[in-house]
Amino acid sequence: MEKNMSRLFAYSRISTSSQDWSLQVDALIKAGVDESDIYKEQMSGTKMDRVELRRVLDQLRNQDKLIVWRLDRLARSQLHLLEIAKEVEEKGAELVSLMDNIDTSTATGKMIFGILATLAEFERNLIVERSKAGQAIARKNGVKFGRPNKLTPAIIRQVQLAHEDDQSTMQDTCRALGISKSTYYNALKIQDAA
C-alpha cells in the first residue's frame, strides 16, 4: 500500500505585464516549492474565474500545502479568500502565506482564519443591512423596484377596445400590442374594476 505523500504547490499572480514574477517565485522556491509546481497567472485579483488558480486548487489532495507569497495574490476580498480557504480545507490541504506568516496547519493560522471568517460574515451582514436601508429610503421616495409595468393607460384602453370588437381575437391583440395573455387579462380586470 502506497503511503500518501504530501506535496507543496504554489500560486503566484501579477496584475500587469509590467510587474515582475521574480520576487514571488524566489520566495516560493526558498519555501521548498519545486518551480514546476508554481502556478503563475497574469490577471486582476478581482477576477473570480482564474484558470491557473482553478488548476492548482484541483491538484490539491489530503496533506498537501498551497503556498502563496501574500494573501492578496490569492484573492482581493475577504469573502473570496474564505471561499478559497474553505475549498483548500475541504480537500484536507493547508494554506500558507509567506509574507503574512499564516499557516493553517498551526493553531495560530486556524485562529487567524477564524477571525477573518467572522469579519467576512460581519461584512456580508452590513452589506445586506445597507441594501435594505437604501431600498426602504428609495421606496419612501417613490422608487419602484422590479420590472416596469406594461399596463399603461394606453394599453389598457387598447385591450378594452379590442375586447369589445367581435372581429379581434385575444391572440391577435396580444401580438399587435406585444403583450402576453396574462397582461391582456390583467388589463381587462383593471378596466372592469374601474
Side-chain angles (χ1 to χ4, degrees):
M1 187 169 156
E2 192 175 313
K3 190 177 177 183
N4 182 20
M5 297 294 293
S6 62
R7 290 183 60 190
L8 300 178
F9 293 95
Y11 177 74
S12 176
R13 183 185 60 77
I14 58 173
S15 299
T16 64
S17 57
S18 64
Q19 293 177 326
D20 188 9
W21 297 104
S22 59
L23 185 64
Q24 291 183 52
V25 171
D26 288 347
L28 295 167
I29 290 171
K30 282 179 187 167
V33 182
D34 188 276
E35 193 164 0
S36 64
D37 289 324
I38 298 174
Y39 290 74
K40 296 187 208 173
E41 193 142 49
Q42 181 186 321
M43 187 176 287
S44 167
T46 58
K47 301 280 186 197
M48 299 290 264
D49 55 343
R50 288 179 266 151
V51 174
E52 292 302 306
L53 176 59
R54 182 76 262 147
R55 281 185 61 214
V56 72
L57 290 172
D58 288 344
Q59 290 292 317
L60 294 176
R61 300 292 178 261
N62 191 40
Q63 297 182 5
D64 288 344
K65 283 193 177 193
L66 173 60
I67 302 174
V68 293
W69 182 62
R70 274 193 346 219
L71 290 176
D72 70 346
R73 299 296 88 202
L74 196 56
R76 279 297 179 102
S77 75
Q78 285 181 0
L79 296 176
H80 188 216
L81 177 59
L82 288 169
E83 287 172 13
I84 294 169
K86 183 178 181 196
E87 182 174 346
V88 171
E89 182 183 30
E90 286 172 351
K91 291 173 181 265
E94 303 294 343
L95 179 61
V96 176
S97 173
L98 300 176
M99 299 303 289
D100 301 306
N101 291 318
I102 294 175
D103 182 343
T104 60
S105 67
T106 68
T108 304
K110 285 187 171 114
M111 179 194 71
I112 289 170
F113 262 94
I115 292 168
L116 286 176
T118 302
L119 291 173
E121 186 173 345
F122 176 68
E123 183 181 345
R124 262 194 306 267
N125 290 338
L126 281 178
I127 290 168
V128 169
E129 284 178 20
R130 286 184 194 130
S131 294
K132 286 180 180 176
Q135 288 172 357
I137 290 169
R139 280 190 188 96
K140 190 175 178 181
N141 291 330
V143 174
K144 294 190 183 201
F145 292 93
R147 292 191 315 189
N149 193 352
K150 279 200 165 196
L151 286 175
T152 63
I155 293 284
I156 293 169
R157 184 72 185 131
Q158 291 289 333
V159 168
Q160 184 62 36
L161 290 171
H163 185 69
E164 291 170 358
D165 181 2
D166 292 336
Q167 302 297 314
S168 295
T169 66
M170 181 266 301
Q171 289 85 359
D172 290 338
T173 304
C174 289
R175 204 174 7 258
L177 296 176
I179 60 172
S180 66
K181 284 196 312 188
S182 61
T183 302
Y184 177 91
Y185 289 116
N186 284 337
L188 290 178
K189 286 179 193 171
I190 289 171
Q191 188 64 33
D192 289 344

